Amino acid sequence: NVKIGGGTHDVVYVTTVNNSVYAFDANDRDEVTPFWHVNFGTPPNVYDGKFGCTDMNGNMGIVGSPVIDAESGTLYVVASTRVGDGFNQRLHALDLATGADRPGSPVTIAAPGFDPLFENQRPALVLSRGTVYIGYASHCDKGPYHGFLIGYDAKSFRQIGAFNTSPTGKEAC
């Protein structure tokens, strides 16, 4: 029941490791053109970190499943991107009908000990009581990495907490 494309539709949202998000009509299997498509830029590749294995095959853009807040009409998704010679991860809050970032979005994800190349945003996002929770594990268990759970206020996008499972060590999920 999303007001999109000149009417109200059931919509399927698809994310890719190439950092794209698509919105398709869920009921018209003959329609191949998305209502909208956004791309967040060049994703890191498994070879960027010399991980030594291929827990993923190629790009590592959007990995974890997004979460939807139907009440506000917002899709929350984390995209990992190459920026110059470095990398970052950003939390995006997208309008379900247009794919446009909500005001204040995206926000760069950061915490002490957080390395945006080595932290793998593998689990699905969770929305609970107005907080978007983002979980992290590793790529191929190659360090340095930590397990993280980071929370952001769903409206202000202010970070409200970051839990590092191994703040005085490494290699914990």
Side-chain angles (χ1 to χ4, degrees), residues 51 113 115 117-119 138 141-146 169-171:
F51 290 105
D115 184 318
L117 179 60
F118 287 94
E119 305 304 336
S138 71
D141 291 339
K142 177 173 177 163
Y145 69 87
H146 303 275
K170 60 181 181 177
E171 300 177 0

Side-chain angles (χ1 to χ4, degrees), residues 34-97:
F35 289 117
W36 55 259
H37 163 246
V38 294
N39 183 274
F40 301 120
T42 304
N45 188 283
V46 293
Y47 303 106
D48 289 327
K50 298 180 177 80
F51 290 105
C53 77
T54 53
D55 64 338
M56 308 179 101
N57 188 7
N59 290 334
M60 308 180 309
I62 299 170
V63 178
S65 297
V67 66
I68 291 175
D69 181 352
E71 186 176 311
S72 71
T74 304
L75 180 143
Y76 297 93
V77 62
V78 172
S80 182
T81 55
R82 179 188 311 270
V83 179
D85 291 334
F87 304 91
N88 70 28
Q89 294 192 31
R90 292 185 180 115
L91 173 63
H92 292 264
L94 304 179
D95 182 288
L96 288 177

Side-chain angles (χ1 to χ4, degrees), residues 22-25 28-35:
Y22 297 86
F24 290 100
D25 190 310
D28 186 351
R29 64 179 164 190
D30 295 326
E31 182 56 67
V32 296
T33 303
F35 289 117

Side-chain angles (χ1 to χ4, degrees), residues 110-115 119 134 136-137 144-151 159 161-173:
F114 183 87
D115 184 318
E119 305 304 336
I134 308 165
Y136 287 89
Y145 69 87
H146 303 275
F148 278 93
L149 182 61
I150 302 175
Q159 188 180 95
F163 174 67
N164 180 342
T165 61
S166 58
T168 59
K170 60 181 181 177
E171 300 177 0
C173 293

Side-chain angles (χ1 to χ4, degrees), residues 128-140:
S128 179
R129 298 180 183 176
T131 301
V132 177
Y133 292 99
I134 308 165
Y136 287 89
S138 71
H139 288 290
C140 303

